[in-house]
């Protein structure tokens, strides 16, 4: 699982957004705002964490159950894959 | 030659009507600064003319010139769709899609605050984005009211206007509303990807406060935005 080339993460006053550039901007027009958890997961994917490792990190960082964390990561990855941001 | 937002332009034009738009910006000479040569093609002219079949030739030419100036803007500059008003040497910009009531809203500021405020530009000011501040400049393109002054002031606030029944303004995190603001920004063609627009917006957000306002057309609406954005008391300003 990695971020497709051309999708760039930016933060505006703490608000994370994913912006397509170059070829990616032909496949996807516009940008996507991420919520806090989404931004956290995105940055871990950038650092090449596996899904299981991201779940572990979420458990350390936030007061959530393993089920909730697993579901958050699964949903985010599936959503981003559907959008064509991950491969 | 003319000077707009600190840059020198030499404009090639055909119609005499163009001159009056630029008369407040004319200069006799420049001292070794870069001169931007501005021209336009027949294709530009036809495209603009097709959008507005009733416009006269010199107005179409004016729009073509404006577009070409915007295309050549260096990367720390942009044009923002909005009306910008100056109070105590600070600029306050109201932005919204056309027809929302920016002009009506700032005309309330000038109606009640009189000579304590002045409109720098009624439609598309030039913003120069520096490391620690953004400067709003007057420009010849200014909407049908012709509100423009060849001056500048540091930009203190940007307010996104929306029509509402009551008047309500709040300071916002610009990142949460980014899509609304990005639609109103125009940058040069040399750096014109979505990422460039996002990056310049991010830089603006570091030194300017952002607001969202729902408003009706009333004196109360002007009081509401004035007090929130400037921090001064409306009642002390009105005679």
């Amino acid at each position: 699982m990695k971020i497709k080339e051309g999708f760039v993460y930016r933060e505006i006053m703490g608000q994370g957004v994913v912006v397509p550039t170059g070829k990616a901007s032909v496949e996807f027009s516009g940008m996507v705002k991420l919520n806090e958890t989404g931004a956290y997961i995105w940055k871990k994917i950038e650092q090449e964490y596996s899904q299981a490792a991201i779940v572990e990190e979420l458990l350390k960082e936030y007061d959530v159950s393993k089920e909730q964390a697993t579901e958050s990561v699964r949903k985010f990855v599936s959503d981003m894959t559907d959008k064509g941001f991950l491969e | 030659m003319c000077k707009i937002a600190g840059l020198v332009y030499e404009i090639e034009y055909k119609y005499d009507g163009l001159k009056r738009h630029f008369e407040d910006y004319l200069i006799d000479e420049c001292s070794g600064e870069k001169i931007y040569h501005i021209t336009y093609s027949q294709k530009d002219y036809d495209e603009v003319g097709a959008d507005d079949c009733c416009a006269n030739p010199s107005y179409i030419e004016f729009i073509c010139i404006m577009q070409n100036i915007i295309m050549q803007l260096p990367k720390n500059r942009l044009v923002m769709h909005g009306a910008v008003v100056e109070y105590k040497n600070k600029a306050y910009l109201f932005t919204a899609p056309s027809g929302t009531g920016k002009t009506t809203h700032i005309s309330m500021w000038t109606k009640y605050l009189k000579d304590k405020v002045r409109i720098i530009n009624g439609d598309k000011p030039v913003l120069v984005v520096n490391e620690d501040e953004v400067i709003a400049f007057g420009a010849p393109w200014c909407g049908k009211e012709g509100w423009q002054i060849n001056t500048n002031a540091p930009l203190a606030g940007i307010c996104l206007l929306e029509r509402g029944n009551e008047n309500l303004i709040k300071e916002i995190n610009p990142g949460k509303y980014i899509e609304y603001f990005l639609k109103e920004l125009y940058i040069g063609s040399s750096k014109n990807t979505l990422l460039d627009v996002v990056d310049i917006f991010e830089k603006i957000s570091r030194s300017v406060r952002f607001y969202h306002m729902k408003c009706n057309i009333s004196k109360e609406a002007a009081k509401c935005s004035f007090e929130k954005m400037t921090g001064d008391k409306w009642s002390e300003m009105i005679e």
Side-chain angles (χ1 to χ4, degrees):
Chain A
M1 173 182 68
K2 68 189 244 289
I3 293 158
K4 266 197 210 165
E5 200 185 323
F7 290 98
V8 178
Y9 178 80
R10 285 289 195 271
E11 261 174 35
I12 298 100
M13 295 285 125
Q15 170 68 57
V17 293
V18 177
V19 185
T21 64
K23 250 198 268 169
S25 64
V26 181
E27 291 163 26
F28 187 92
S29 67
M31 62 182 168
V32 168
K33 285 195 285 190
L34 301 181
N35 62 22
E36 192 187 334
T37 315
Y40 185 86
I41 300 172
W42 181 275
K43 284 186 268 187
K44 293 294 172 202
I45 300 174
E46 273 184 334
Q47 294 163 34
E48 298 180 0
Y49 279 61
S50 69
Q51 286 199 45
I54 297 172
V55 170
E56 293 305 315
E57 291 297 309
L58 276 176
L59 290 175
K60 276 188 240 163
E61 193 74 19
Y62 298 95
D63 186 19
V64 289
S65 68
K66 188 158 187 181
E67 289 70 34
Q68 285 171 318
T70 309
E71 181 56 16
S72 288
V73 174
R74 189 202 61 76
K75 229 175 127 202
F76 182 79
V77 169
S78 141
D79 186 29
M80 290 295 129
T81 309
D82 287 348
K83 285 192 166 68
F85 294 6
L86 301 178
E87 59 188 6
Chain B
M1 267 188 303
C2 64
K3 196 170 195 173
I4 301 163
L7 298 182
V8 178
Y9 297 97
E10 189 146 54
I11 297 170
E12 249 180 70
Y13 65 95
K14 287 186 193 136
Y15 302 100
D16 267 358
L18 187 85
K19 277 193 281 190
R20 81 183 161 83
H21 293 288
F22 289 88
E23 60 191 9
D24 293 346
Y25 297 83
L26 296 178
I27 52 168
D28 294 328
E29 54 186 30
C30 71
S31 47
E33 294 152 277
K34 175 173 178 172
I35 300 173
Y36 291 83
H37 292 274
I38 303 296
T39 181
Y40 63 94
S41 66
Q42 186 62 41
K43 188 168 165 272
D44 295 341
Y45 185 91
D46 293 342
E47 280 174 11
V48 172
D51 279 348
D52 186 352
C53 59
C54 305
N56 66 48
S58 77
Y59 183 74
I60 296 174
E61 179 170 61
F62 174 57
I63 301 298
C64 293
I65 297 292
M66 175 189 79
Q67 288 178 346
N68 279 282
I69 288 178
I70 294 174
M71 297 252 276
Q72 291 195 41
L73 284 176
K75 66 175 184 178
N76 68 329
R77 283 154 191 268
L78 66 140
V79 163
M80 186 160 186
H81 178 218
V84 62
V85 57
E86 183 190 18
Y87 168 74
K88 286 190 178 169
N89 195 36
K90 285 203 175 124
Y92 300 90
L93 191 152
F94 293 91
T95 188
S98 297
T100 305
K102 297 181 291 287
T103 305
T104 310
H105 189 75
I106 57 162
S107 65
M108 295 285 173
W109 277 48
T110 53
K111 181 177 175 187
Y112 294 105
L113 299 161
K114 301 206 165 65
D115 59 1
K116 294 182 185 73
V117 297
R118 55 181 189 161
I119 296 168
I120 294 180
N121 187 284
D123 191 50
K124 289 190 181 73
V126 176
L127 304 184
V128 177
V129 183
N130 298 321
E131 281 309 317
D132 51 358
E133 64 176 1
V134 178
I135 313 284
F137 280 83
W141 39 87
C142 53
K144 60 181 182 300
E145 289 76 18
W147 292 339
Q148 60 78 24
I149 308 170
N150 185 1
T151 187
N152 65 81
L155 186 61
I158 296 179
C159 181
L160 176 67
L161 282 185
E162 190 186 322
R163 279 194 206 173
N165 294 326
E166 287 175 65
N167 298 304
L168 191 68
I169 186 168
K170 59 176 182 182
E171 188 166 353
I172 55 167
N173 178 337
K176 302 240 180 282
Y177 288 76
I178 184 169
E179 63 274 33
Y180 296 97
F181 292 105
L182 258 47
K183 277 187 238 168
E184 314 298 340
L185 305 182
Y186 308 93
I187 66 171
S189 60
S190 62
K191 299 271 288 173
N192 194 14
T193 66
L194 182 57
L195 188 64
D196 295 323
V197 188
V198 169
D199 283 343
I200 201 163
F201 182 69
E202 191 279 325
K203 220 167 155 190
I204 295 172
S205 74
R206 289 185 222 165
S207 64
V208 176
R209 291 178 161 224
F210 283 76
Y211 305 86
H212 176 245
M213 182 180 196
K214 285 190 178 169
C215 66
N216 56 30
I217 300 168
S218 65
K219 181 179 175 181
E220 191 59 30
K223 173 178 185 274
C224 185
S225 62
F226 174 82
E227 290 194 337
K228 183 74 177 178
M229 292 172 79
T230 69
D232 281 357
K233 274 270 175 235
W234 176 264
S235 56
E236 289 163 14
M237 297 297 138
I238 307 295
E239 284 130 33

